[in-house]
């Protein structure tokens, strides 16, 4: 089925290009191509239902039928559109109970709005220039409108997906493609550090917003950082940005200190319980 998908997708693209270019395609070819697509969708659906009946999860079943890069790209697009809807209704994702959110999209807002405005101007201009070619005009219009939504979705994803800090995890996010969970016990040091230039280095993750990062987190053990295309890579240094960078640094340090105090208290309580149990066993033996 995958080989059939790899064959049909280029064929569909060629047909679309020919239709846009004005090439006359025989009706039998068009009907055959669309029939093949319908049959492929039906077979894929049956295979998906069979895999689900065998006990596979939704993602595992899709992973058996769809290449992993395609799943990642499709998931990224869906998260962008969902973030755009959240942005419109003003319902950001702030995590569950006990999580503190730290926004990071303020310093990129002007740039993203300007980019979206340029895309709107380009859409209007192309609509005027291609008015005499209805098919080309319709295709370009759809692409241009989606580009505007894509740009707004990138900003909406950053605005509705803030960094989250819980009592044991720092969750670092950027747009819809980066979501890194850092256990607090793995944080060796955290500091406020304003940087405007970042060179790529092995084991480092730079999440710049407006070409700047304001926090540097150094880890005792690497954590996996996801990539849009390709497997996750381990990183031991994470640079990120937050609108209230100093507040986030202070909150991380307080959470680490609280976790350390809580761990010491739990260890002390466990020691006292063990001593009480041993004393009770000694009394019972006596």
């Amino acid at each position: 089925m995958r080989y059939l998908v790899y064959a049909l997708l280029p064929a569909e693209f060629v047909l679309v290009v020919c239709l846009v270019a004005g090439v006359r395609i025989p009706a039998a070819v068009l009907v055959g191509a669309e029939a093949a697509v319908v049959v492929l969708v039906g077979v894929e659906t049956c295979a998906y239902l069979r895999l689900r009946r065998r006990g596979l999860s939704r993602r595992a079943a899709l992973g058996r039928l769809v290449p992993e890069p395609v799943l990642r790209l499709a998931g990224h697009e869906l998260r962008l559109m969902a973030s755009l809807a959240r942005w419109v209704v003003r319902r950001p994702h702030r995590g569950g109970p006990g999580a503190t959110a730290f926004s990071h999209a303020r310093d990129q807002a002007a740039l993203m709005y300007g980019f979206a405005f340029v895309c709107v101007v380009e859409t209007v201009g192309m609509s005027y220039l291609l008015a005499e070619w209805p098919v080309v005009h319709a295709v370009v219009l759809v692409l241009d409108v989606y580009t505007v939504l894509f740009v707004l979705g990138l900003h909406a994803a950053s605005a509705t997906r803030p960094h989250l800090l819980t009592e044991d995890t720092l969750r670092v996010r950027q747009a819809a493609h980066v979501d890194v969970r850092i256990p607090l016990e793995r944080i060796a040091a955290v500091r406020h550090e304003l940087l405007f230039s970042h060179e790529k280095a092995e084991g480092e993750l730079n999440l710049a917003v407006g070409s700047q990062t304001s926090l540097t987190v150094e880890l005792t053990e690497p954590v996996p950082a996801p990539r849009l295309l390709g497997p996750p890579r381990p990183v031991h240094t994470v640079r990120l940005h937050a609108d209230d960078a100093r507040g986030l640094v202070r909150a991380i340090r307080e959470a680490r200190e609280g976790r350390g105090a809580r761990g010491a208290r739990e260890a002390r309580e466990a020691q006292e319980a063990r001593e009480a149990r041993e004393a009770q066993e000694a009394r019972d033996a006596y």
Side-chain angles (χ1 to χ4, degrees), residues 82-92 113 152-153 155-157 159-160:
S83 299
L84 190 59
R86 281 181 171 271
W87 187 49
V88 171
V89 299
R90 298 182 181 275
R91 293 186 58 184
Y113 291 152
L152 293 176
H155 178 63
T160 59

Side-chain angles (χ1 to χ4, degrees), residues 128-262:
Y128 176 76
L129 294 174
L130 299 176
E132 297 182 359
W133 294 277
V135 177
V136 179
H137 174 269
V139 173
V140 174
L141 180 61
V142 170
L143 294 177
D144 285 340
V145 171
Y146 186 78
T147 301
V148 175
L149 293 177
F150 184 87
V151 173
L152 293 176
L154 287 176
H155 178 63
S158 295
T160 59
R161 294 163 58 87
H163 305 312
L164 298 177
L165 178 64
T166 64
E167 61 180 9
D168 56 359
T169 304
L170 171 63
R171 188 174 177 182
V172 177
R173 301 191 285 188
Q174 187 181 54
H177 61 284
V178 176
D179 193 341
V180 181
R181 299 174 185 267
I182 304 175
L184 293 184
E185 65 266 16
R186 295 192 184 185
I187 298 179
V190 57
R191 61 183 180 273
H192 177 262
E193 185 178 27
L194 192 61
L195 297 176
F196 289 91
S197 60
H198 306 84
E199 296 182 359
K200 291 184 178 181
E202 188 68 25
E204 294 184 359
L205 178 64
N206 299 313
L207 303 177
V209 175
S211 301
Q212 65 175 329
T213 58
S214 52
L215 278 83
T216 299
V217 181
E218 297 179 355
L219 308 178
T220 58
E221 299 179 21
V223 296
R227 290 185 289 185
L228 186 59
L229 296 176
R233 65 185 182 94
V235 296
H236 54 74
T237 300
V238 180
R239 296 186 179 91
L240 60 143
H241 179 69
D243 297 339
D244 183 14
R246 298 183 187 276
L248 179 54
V249 171
R250 184 167 56 253
I252 294 174
R253 290 173 177 173
E254 291 175 354
R256 291 178 62 205
E257 293 173 358
R259 182 178 177 81
R262 186 169 60 255

Side-chain angles (χ1 to χ4, degrees), residues 21-125:
V23 178
R24 298 185 62 181
I25 305 296
V29 175
L30 292 176
V31 172
E34 299 310 314
V37 171
V38 172
V39 171
L40 177 62
V41 171
V43 173
E44 292 269 356
T45 302
C46 294
Y48 173 81
L49 295 177
R50 289 183 60 186
L51 292 173
R52 290 284 291 158
R53 284 196 295 268
R54 292 179 184 177
L56 273 68
S57 64
R58 294 180 180 178
R59 184 169 182 81
L62 286 175
R64 293 282 299 273
L65 300 173
V66 183
E68 184 65 22
V70 176
L71 280 179
R72 292 180 182 176
L73 290 175
H76 179 260
E77 300 297 313
L78 291 175
R79 286 192 295 272
L80 284 183
M81 297 302 107
S83 299
L84 190 59
R86 281 181 171 271
W87 187 49
V88 171
V89 299
R90 298 182 181 275
R91 293 186 58 184
H93 180 266
R94 297 188 178 276
T100 304
F102 292 87
S103 59
H104 59 272
R106 181 185 61 193
D107 293 334
Q108 73 173 16
L111 175 63
M112 301 304 292
Y113 291 152
F115 192 21
F117 175 75
V118 171
C119 292
V120 171
V121 173
E122 188 264 349
T123 300
V124 175

Side-chain angles (χ1 to χ4, degrees), residues 11-34:
E12 285 287 320
F13 178 75
V14 171
L15 283 177
V16 171
V17 171
C18 291
L19 290 173
V20 172
V23 178
R24 298 185 62 181
I25 305 296
V29 175
L30 292 176
V31 172
E34 299 310 314

